[in-house]
Amino acid sequence: MPDHGPDPSSAASPRRSLRRAARVSLAIAALVLGLLAAGAGMVWRYAAALPPLDLAAASARSTVVLDRSDTLLRPFATADGRWRLPVTAATVDPRYRAMLLAYEDRRFESHPGVDPAAILRAAAQWLGHGRILSGGSTLSMQVARLVEPRHGRSLEAKLRQMVRAVALERQLGKAALLDLYLALAPYGGPLEGVRAASLAYFGREPVRLTTAQAALLVALPQSPETRRPDRFPDRARAARDRVLDLAASRGLLSPAEAAAAKAEPVPTARQPFPMLAAHAAEAAVAAEPGTPVIRLAIDGRLQARLETLAAERAAAAGPALSAAIVVLDNRDGRVLAQVGSAGYLDPSRRGAIDMTLAVRSPGSALKPFVYALAFENGLAHPETLLEDRPARFSANYAPENFDLTFQGTVTARRALQLSLNVPAVALMEAVGPARFIARLRAAGAGIQLPREAAPGLPVALGGLGITLTDLARLYAGLARGGSVPDILRRAGDAAGTGPEHRVTEPVAAWYVADILRGTPPPENALTNRIAYKTGTSFGYRDAWAAGFDRHVTLVAWIGRPDGAAVPGLVGRVAAAPILFDAFARLGIEPEPIPQPRNVLSVAEAGGLPPPLRRLHRDGAETQGPALKIAYPPDGARIDLGLAGERGDERDTAGQGLALKALGGVPPLTWLVDGQPVAQTPRRRAEWVPGGAGFARISVLDATGASDSVSIRIE
């Protein structure tokens, strides 16, 4: 048959097929777009109908008390009993973060809250197997579930999580959302968040974890109750190992690292949360309820060392005994350590009682302040001779020494170093108990007297009540030249700007510090290291040791919290070793107190002035008017430039300050800050101030009677 060429109808067929396919594709695309648009509209309407998320409840955290370096001292559970500690991605181990994202959400940084690829994979597995094999949840969706808990795994619940996840991503951003997961992820029981879990299972902060520990913390939130290592260690190990295998398959770990991590055992018990400075932390939370983070001035490492020391020494001393220690920074009064008991959780030692705030009898621990007041008022000098012999004072009071012996005539230095009772009472008689108590209270110490009785001579030997913290403040005052610091407990607290509290003057404080530095140390301790004094209360109820150097003041106490007597409990034997051991654990070399101006050196002065050579107890019986400084008056402010104005009390040359006394038995000895400036048979003298500042002016007569005033030269 002849060839008539191509059939036109056959050429048109492919073109018609292409046009039909295009029309079908457009129809399908339109249908899909319509479905997507309808679905998006439905999702949009669904999202708009949802109530707003309550992020305030999700933001609630356990209150944590930190030390001065932000080390955790003690956390507190939330109001509903949860342990949910503050944590951020920056404070967890980088390997943990890498494994978490690899295992839970590989595309976390790129998806908008929902991962389409993961959703499609989960849907395909569901269609193919008839059940959900992987949920396709992103970390954002998991946070949505944690913020808004809902039971069940329905499609509606999953849709709700998706909508919430997208909203959270827009509202918070990736970094804050990851922080929220780290704080809310469940780890079994009351543990929420990776920080609480790391402390409970490993006893460490999550900033530095082993590979095995990091993998376990990644695995637990998927099934926190059935994988708890303290209840189901085998399941916990299997879940951890799956995380390690995945991390190795994705190049985060080498096979050798994964194998080594699998060989590490899983913890089988929970560890207690940190409880350093438990009393101080508890008091801080009570004072600032609702504050999420409280920073104390305490040094956490020093606190831990001293808590161990207190527990060891109390256990060695006997049953039912407790111990307490306070360490102050002499610069500003910051509390560097506060050990309230020998064990906060030890009921046999009543560890919940904070003995740093308990009022107890200090025994001889207050004697240095009797001497300081006597030195300040010109009644005595460290080399003044005192009598340690049987003596009877007012109200038929006849004190005895601890060892029931007497030393005879001794210097004030030796009497204080040996803690002799009769010389201390003699000085208290000269100073006056009421004046002594008033000075301590003016310095800020909360002194309590028995049954509100008037102070008597026994207060020199501990016949009053004081707290360990107040005693530490007074001793810090000696280290600071007589200026008593306020107690600073918070890391950010600034030193007070109010009126200065003084327990004594700089020269008197240095005399006492110099004496106490020469006190014989306890057995096996070095001499001349620190200035210290011990005390034993009546009936062997309290043993004390207080010591200081230029930088730090430390006071230790040991006894029974219930106040029962403990035979043989003596400050020098029981408390002094704690003091010296605690100073050794400070890790610094002790430094002596710098010597101030106007210290009276006996060698340089050629001997003491006659009234200071020996303490005379019979001065009060001398006939005639009592010795009193008539000018300048106590508390006066004197302009140095006006010292030459007319008047009986000013010298005509305009250079010196006239001193005038009434009464007393000449000759009179005038002292300024403990330094003799004049000795005269008259009741007038002159002193040329060396410059502006405070000065303590004292006068003594031939019988040993004295008076003193404090003035300010301007």
Side-chain angles (χ1 to χ4, degrees), residues 274-446:
M275 195 174 281
L276 287 174
H279 300 91
E282 197 170 71
V285 172
E288 301 180 35
T291 303
V293 179
I294 300 174
R295 291 177 174 83
L296 300 182
I298 285 173
D299 180 333
R301 288 183 292 183
L302 175 62
Q303 178 76 24
R305 291 195 292 266
L306 296 187
E307 287 191 9
T308 300
L309 172 63
E312 292 172 350
R313 292 305 177 93
L321 271 74
S322 189
I325 302 171
V326 163
V327 183
L328 299 183
D329 187 329
N330 290 337
R331 292 173 300 178
D332 51 18
R334 293 188 188 278
V335 180
L336 301 180
Q338 179 183 336
V339 182
S341 69
Y344 181 80
L345 298 178
D346 188 346
S348 68
R349 302 183 188 277
R350 305 196 181 190
I353 300 176
D354 185 357
M355 295 307 299
T356 68
L357 302 178
V359 177
R360 309 294 289 231
S361 168
S364 296
L366 282 181
K367 283 180 182 175
F369 303 96
V370 179
Y371 282 77
L373 198 54
F375 295 155
E376 174 188 300
N377 291 325
L379 296 171
H381 179 275
E383 307 310 320
T384 297
L385 295 178
L386 307 176
E387 295 299 326
D388 182 40
R389 305 178 189 278
R392 194 168 298 279
F393 296 85
S394 60
N396 208 28
Y397 181 48
E400 295 179 329
N401 288 324
F402 184 78
D403 59 3
L404 303 180
T405 65
F406 296 93
Q407 299 294 316
T409 302
V410 294
T411 63
R413 179 183 301 275
R414 188 65 175 162
L416 182 53
Q417 289 174 346
L418 296 180
S419 195
L420 301 178
N421 287 341
V422 175
V425 173
L427 287 175
M428 177 61 81
E429 182 183 53
V431 167
R435 187 178 185 185
F436 175 72
I437 296 300
R439 175 61 65 87
L440 297 185
R441 285 174 170 167

Side-chain angles (χ1 to χ4, degrees), residues 451-532:
R451 296 181 297 277
E452 294 302 321
L457 295 179
V459 299
L461 309 182
L464 50 76
I466 191 172
T467 67
L468 185 151
T469 301
D470 276 347
L471 190 64
R473 290 183 64 229
L474 293 176
Y475 272 88
L478 294 177
R480 290 160 47 95
S483 175
V484 176
D486 293 326
I487 293 294
L488 301 181
R489 300 186 182 277
R490 303 293 185 271
D493 286 351
T497 58
E500 182 183 42
H501 301 290
R502 297 199 69 85
V503 69
T504 190
E505 299 299 323
V507 172
W510 186 85
Y511 283 151
V512 172
D514 185 57
I515 292 171
L516 295 181
R517 198 160 185 262
T519 301
E523 187 176 354
N524 298 324
L526 298 176
T527 59
N528 296 318
R529 298 277 290 170
I530 60 173
Y532 88 103

Side-chain angles (χ1 to χ4, degrees), residues 654-691:
Q655 297 295 321
L657 178 66
L659 308 175
K660 184 177 180 180
L662 299 174
V665 180
L668 302 184
T669 301
W670 293 87
L671 303 95
V672 176
D673 291 333
Q675 182 78 27
V677 295
Q679 186 173 13
T680 173
R682 304 175 58 200
R683 289 183 172 83
R684 298 179 58 133
E686 179 184 311
W687 165 57
V688 179

